[in-house]
Amino acid sequence: MGLGIDIGGTFVKFTDGERRWKERTPGTAWELLSLISSTILKLRPKKAGIAVAGLVNTIEGVVTDSPNLKFLKGVPLKREIEKRTGVEAFMVNDATAAAYGEYRLGVGRGSSPFICLTLGTGLGGGAVVDGKPLLGASGSAMEVGHVVVEKNGWICHCGRRGCLEAYVSSYGLERFYHMETGESVSSFEVIERAKNGEEAAVRALAGMASYLSLGLMNLIHLFNPQIVALSGGIPAHYPEFIEMVEKKTKEISFSQPAKDFSLKRAFLGEFSGAMGAFLLSEEA
Ligand SMILES: [Zn+2]
């Protein structure tokens, strides 16, 4: 039996293939290591797959950068967990794991190239090409959130300016809404207000959608994908968002790759990363 773990900015999600559960993400690396190690010691999987919201060196098992989990930077998670549990572990970027989960069990089945974007606290990206997750030289491929779409644009959690994530993320949406109204409310509240027909909230979502379309156009011109899946709370709570983005992307892209692609809501929901890490742990 394998075990899939997905360390996100807010929750750590677990699955053993059948059960799925989540815990609040602790605030220190020490507490996080204890949470993961105690779960592994209890369940005794053969192998543990650990997905992390950040850049992961898959060869060394180290988080090299994590704009939304800053305390994990440089922590040798793989080595520490193996030392504490005796169970073999491997690490992967969370969006790459999500892409693999969606490719095997969700909306990406049978498609290649398949791309999955995870829209939440930040914006992650992963790709599966000919059935294999695209890792790059050491696991950092497909950092879609940190592709720059605006020189000298909005500041991103990574410290750069004009990253796609600065516009397409929960904090990006909050900023669009603040520009419209001067009010600071959570992204969840913006979506609620849009659902209730508030025009400023709908405009804030449209602002985010236009940047996401630009990012998708770039991906489509690079990869010519058949399917792009979008996961996260926004498409789940505001389904019109998918249509809005797909339509706009097709308008601005070259016609053939625009025809080839469709944008779909991810099927596995918030557990796609944990599921992908589980599948990779079973297959490794
Ligand atoms: Zn960035």
Side-chain angles (χ1 to χ4, degrees), residues 10-174:
T10 314
F11 289 105
V12 184
K13 290 146 203 154
F14 299 88
T15 182
D16 59 6
E18 285 177 8
R19 289 169 301 160
R20 300 163 170 201
W21 66 101
K22 62 183 180 182
E23 309 264 359
R24 279 232 157 241
T25 305
T28 66
W30 176 261
E31 288 168 288
L32 180 67
L33 276 168
S34 303
L35 170 65
I36 292 173
S37 303
S38 62
T39 308
I40 291 175
L41 286 169
K42 200 161 68 193
L43 298 174
R44 291 250 140 248
K46 270 217 174 77
K47 203 160 190 173
I50 303 166
V52 185
L55 274 77
V56 171
N57 181 323
T58 50
I59 298 161
E60 310 206 337
V62 177
V63 179
T64 58
D65 264 296
S66 182
N68 295 305
L69 280 165
K70 290 197 165 69
F71 67 83
L72 273 184
K73 185 178 162 103
V75 175
L77 267 185
K78 171 182 156 71
R79 195 181 71 211
E80 285 298 322
I81 286 165
E82 288 180 344
K83 199 169 77 187
R84 287 160 191 236
T85 64
V87 171
E88 195 188 332
F90 69 88
M91 289 171 64
V92 64
N93 168 264
D94 63 339
T96 299
Y100 193 66
E102 286 292 337
Y103 171 77
R104 286 286 311 280
L105 304 171
V107 294
R109 265 178 287 192
S111 85
S112 183
F114 169 66
I115 293 173
C116 181
L117 301 181
T118 56
L119 171 51
T121 316
L123 177 68
V128 179
V129 181
D130 298 331
K132 290 209 169 64
L134 181 69
L135 296 175
S138 65
S140 299
M142 295 300 286
E143 281 297 330
V144 177
H146 307 285
V147 165
V148 172
V149 290
E150 213 51 276
K151 196 180 175 200
N152 300 320
W154 291 358
I155 193 99
C156 176
H157 279 180
C158 76
R160 291 174 186 80
R161 279 192 177 275
C163 289
L164 186 57
E165 178 182 297
Y167 302 87
V168 183
S169 58
S170 58
Y171 67 93
L173 180 60
E174 287 160 13

Side-chain angles (χ1 to χ4, degrees), residues 182-199:
E183 241 186 295
S184 297
V185 300
S186 73
S187 57
F188 297 103
E189 182 60 29
V190 178
I191 294 161
E192 277 309 305
R193 292 182 184 188
K195 273 160 69 180
N196 294 328
E198 192 196 279
E199 279 181 24

Side-chain angles (χ1 to χ4, degrees), residues 171-235:
Y171 67 93
L173 180 60
E174 287 160 13
R175 184 158 178 177
F176 275 114
Y177 189 74
H178 186 264
M179 278 173 53
E180 291 285 343
T181 63
E183 241 186 295
S184 297
V185 300
S186 73
S187 57
F188 297 103
E189 182 60 29
V190 178
I191 294 161
E192 277 309 305
R193 292 182 184 188
K195 273 160 69 180
N196 294 328
E198 192 196 279
E199 279 181 24
V202 174
R203 280 200 302 273
L205 276 160
M208 184 167 78
S210 78
Y211 276 91
L212 180 53
S213 303
L214 185 60
L216 274 171
M217 179 199 77
N218 290 332
L219 286 173
I220 283 164
H221 290 168
L222 285 169
F223 288 93
N224 187 198
Q226 288 184 314
I227 294 174
V228 179
L230 186 62
S231 78
I234 293 166

